[in-house]
Amino acid sequence: LVIASATFADAGVYDVVVSNVLGAVVSAAATLEVRQIIPTVSAWPSASAIYRGESLEQAILSGGSASVAGSFAFLSPTDTPPVGTASHAVRFTPEDTTHYLAADGMVAVVVVSALEIEEVPEPVEASAGASFTLDASATGAEPRHFQWYRNGEPISGATNATLAFSDATLADTGLYQVLVTNALSLRLSAPTRVAVDSPKLIGWGGNDDGQLGDGSTDDRTAPVFIAPDAVTAVAGAAHSLFVTADGSLRTMGANASGQLGDGTTAPRSTPVAVLGGTNVVAVAAGAAHSLFVAEDGILRAMGANAGGQLGDGTTTPRSTPVAVPGGTNVVAVAAGAAHSLFVTADGALWAMGDNASGQLGDGTTTPRSTPVAVLGGSNVVAVAAGAAHSLFLTSNGAIWDMGGNDQGQLGDGSTTPRPTPVCIAQGIRSFAAGGTHSLLLDADGTLRATGANADGQLGDGTATPRPAPVTVVGGTNVAAFAAGAAHSLLLDFDGTLLATGANDQGQLGDGSTTPRLTPEPAEPVLIAGLASGPAASHVLAIGALVYDFVYVPLGDGTVVITGYVGEGGDIAIPEQLNGMAVAAIADEAFLGASGLVSVHIPATVTNIGA
């Protein structure tokens, strides 16, 4: 019996009957089993590359051949493999499943980053009135969307790969970043320095340790000139840092813990260079520690470290900068009293240091001497730190808070501390953290405040703490703002600087030491950037002084000149400053002024000191 091309119908028990004229016999039974066979795959297919975040089913299989007709497919099509090249199981399924089994094999799949910023803008130094562009490019899945930021705040309408400037002004000075997003991922660029019209560093307020860098330890109730060519600055409890147009990092003030990063613990009343502080693009100051990032994306830290806030795995203070393990591709930083936070280019948020109030957002109150991931800290575009609380903003405009909340500084309507982040608002453009209060800028330019208010730092006309955000009096059409230990400042788009809260060291910059429950005008100053800090009683600004003279109102419509901060030469004292007659020149008003050739004194002056 010959069976050709056996089928399952041929399966069964067979016997044979043999007969002749004498009779017949039956053979023993024989069982025929027809089995499915595994086809021969002579060539497995190749797979197209996919982006990180895409599943294997989006990798197109092409080519491949087998001994029978059929198709190839991944065994786990919904898997989303990491970036890199790896082999994944593929199954060949024959069309004739009656006679043939499936065959399994492995195919290499290349997974590439879903999004990368290829080109970031070069730093710019430009004259007033200049035209220039900031250009960025990215690779990854289409469509790609761009959003430019200045000093951490999105620029309205700046949604192209190129950000163009025409007739640039001092107000365009700052740090610029571009956020690139697609359906799979996001990337935030490192900041780019832009300096227009030779911006100056100016400051006012507390100066006990020389943190204003003007060569003295005298508090300043009105703005004074500190240094030329500055693009950004930050304030610690009693120290300050600023970055110049060429990326040099300079610092001044208290240094007992080495927070100035100059290799010593000696205080400095004039700016000194930070060791290794070149090509710097981001900086932050805690109570007594400092953080900075250079163009290489590496996070470096110095100063106090009792809580592990330097993130180097120890609690040893450092007077020279140390690289933070894991602190690579860093694009934004923030520092609280004794904790630190940083954002990497992929939008991940990390934290280290003191965590007694849950300010690290890792779900515990355990201090961390190395960086830990913040729970839910993804798609982050900006971060801020109060004394013992933290805030971060995600790319969709949601603001998240964690940590201490005894004064309602988290703004969630309670005074309960939060060791894991809570979302308190949507549609937020930018934000700032003071000692135990927070400021939030809505998309419509309205400034709101929450938290401690004993000194009037919320600017709502009361001294009542607020566990949920309230509108700051006059806080509409806000262009920039900052929060200090117990004071707040806001800049209108018309250029008026307003300040509210504690003023014992002149931190409101209005020429007095009178506290304010609502924002009141400070002394006139041209501002491109504004900074204070959660432990600071001083203020730093990037911009220019309206006047070259430091003065104090006498309360009768006149002022006394107490200092000179100009660049010298032949100068003329004006008859009026800020609408008040110049009536007197104080003792030693020009002491230390360099480059003076002559001084013309107006007839309004009736009293001249020594």
Side-chain angles (χ1 to χ4, degrees):
L1 176 64
V2 176
I3 300 175
S5 301
T7 68
F8 289 108
D10 295 316
V13 178
Y14 289 79
D15 55 26
V16 61
V17 177
V18 181
S19 63
N20 60 18
V21 295
L22 299 176
V25 294
V26 179
S27 70
T31 301
L32 174 63
E33 181 182 354
V34 179
R35 298 177 181 175
Q36 291 175 303
I37 63 173
I38 298 175
T40 300
V41 177
S42 56
W44 289 94
S46 60
S48 64
I50 59 174
Y51 291 113
R52 176 70 179 98
E54 290 184 323
S55 59
L56 286 174
E57 62 189 345
Q58 291 167 293
I60 299 173
L61 294 171
S62 59
S65 61
S67 56
V68 296
S71 60
F72 296 92
F74 287 101
L75 273 176
S76 301
T78 60
D79 284 357
T80 55
V83 170
T85 301
S87 294
H88 296 272
V90 170
R91 172 164 290 174
F92 173 76
T93 302
E95 291 180 1
D96 180 2
T97 56
T98 300
H99 297 94
Y100 295 95
L101 295 171
D104 293 338
M106 303 295 286
V107 170
V109 178
V110 177
V111 182
V112 297
S113 176
L115 191 62
E116 291 296 339
I117 296 177
E118 280 195 323
E119 177 189 6
V120 295
E122 293 294 324
V124 173
E125 293 184 57
S127 302
S131 296
F132 57 90
T133 62
L134 299 180
D135 300 296
S137 63
T139 60
E142 296 278 7
R144 295 186 291 268
H145 306 282
F146 294 80
Q147 173 62 63
W148 288 90
Y149 288 73
R150 176 181 170 273
N151 294 339
E153 183 175 332
I155 303 170
S156 179
T159 55
N160 296 315
T162 295
L163 180 63
F165 296 79
S166 60
D167 195 20
T169 68
L170 176 70
D172 292 317
T173 294
L175 297 178
Y176 287 79
Q177 292 173 278
V178 63
L179 175 69
V180 186
T181 59
N182 61 17
L184 299 172
S185 188
L186 67 75
R187 286 293 183 273
L188 183 63
S189 73
T192 294
R193 300 181 302 274
V194 172
V196 180
D197 197 18
S198 301
K200 312 292 192 300
L201 177 66
I202 54 183
W204 59 91
N207 197 27
D208 311 69
D209 294 277
Q211 57 263 45
L212 293 185
D214 66 347
S216 79
T217 54
D218 298 327
D219 292 348
R220 302 293 187 179
T221 61
V224 296
F225 168 81
I226 299 172
D229 299 320
V231 294
T232 191
V234 292
H239 74 292
S240 306
L241 302 99
F242 66 96
V243 180
T244 62
D246 67 0
S248 298
L249 180 60
R250 300 189 178 278
T251 185
M252 57 270 191
N255 197 24
S257 298
Q259 58 263 50
L260 302 190
D262 66 347
T264 78
T265 54
R268 308 288 185 177
S269 62
T270 56
V272 295
V274 173
L275 296 175
T278 57
N279 298 317
V280 173
V281 295
V283 63
H289 73 288
S290 306
L291 310 170
F292 70 91
V293 182
E295 290 175 356
D296 60 8
I298 295 175
L299 176 62
R300 293 175 171 85
M302 61 266 194
N305 198 23
Q309 58 263 50
L310 302 189
D312 66 347
T314 78
T315 54
T316 304
R318 307 289 183 178
S319 62
T320 57
V322 294
V324 176
T328 57
N329 296 318
V330 176
V331 296
V333 290
H339 72 290
S340 306
L341 304 106
F342 64 91
V343 181
T344 51
D346 60 359
L349 179 60
W350 300 81
M352 61 264 194
D354 180 38
N355 198 24
S357 299
Q359 57 263 52
L360 302 189
D362 67 345
T364 78
T365 54
T366 304
R368 307 290 184 177
S369 62
T370 56
V372 294
V374 174
L375 297 175
S378 59
N379 297 327
V380 176
V381 296
V383 63
H389 72 290
S390 307
L391 306 89
F392 63 91
L393 184 69
T394 53
S395 58
N396 63 357
I399 187 79
W400 296 77
D401 295 0
M402 63 263 195
N405 198 25
D406 56 304
Q407 297 293 312
Q409 57 264 46
L410 299 188
D412 66 349
S414 78
T415 55
T416 304
R418 306 290 183 180
T420 56
V422 292
C423 180
I424 67 159
Q426 300 279 348
I428 300 300
R429 287 179 57 189
S430 60
F431 56 100
T436 50
H437 72 291
S438 304
L439 304 176
L440 310 175
L441 185 65
D442 290 341
D444 64 0
T446 299
L447 186 64
R448 296 188 293 153
T450 185
N453 199 24
D455 294 286
Q457 56 263 53
L458 302 189
D460 68 344
T462 77
T464 304
R466 305 291 185 178
V470 295
T471 300
V472 176
V473 174
T476 57
N477 199 35
V478 173
F481 57 98
H487 65 283
S488 304
L489 306 102
L490 56 142
L491 180 71
D492 284 346
F493 273 102
D494 65 5
T496 301
L497 178 64
L498 304 170
T500 186
N503 198 24
D504 54 303
Q505 293 188 277
Q507 54 264 53
L508 300 190
D510 63 356
S512 78
T513 55
T514 304
R516 310 288 182 184
L517 296 180
T518 57
E520 299 290 342
E523 292 297 314
V525 63
L526 302 176
I527 291 179
L530 195 59
S532 193
S537 294
H538 65 293
V539 178
L540 302 171
I542 305 299
L545 292 170
V546 174
Y547 307 114
D548 288 337
F549 302 93
V550 180
Y551 62 92
V552 175
L554 296 176
D556 60 356
T558 67
V559 300
V560 55
I561 289 178
T562 59
Y564 173 73
V565 293
E567 298 179 0
D570 295 303
I571 66 170
I573 297 174
E575 292 185 353
Q576 289 189 338
L577 290 171
N578 197 24
M580 295 175 285
V582 177
I585 300 173
D587 291 348
E588 301 181 342
F590 290 90
L591 181 66
S594 60
L596 287 177
V597 176
S598 65
V599 178
H600 173 76
I601 299 173
T604 56
V605 173
T606 58
N607 187 5
I608 299 176

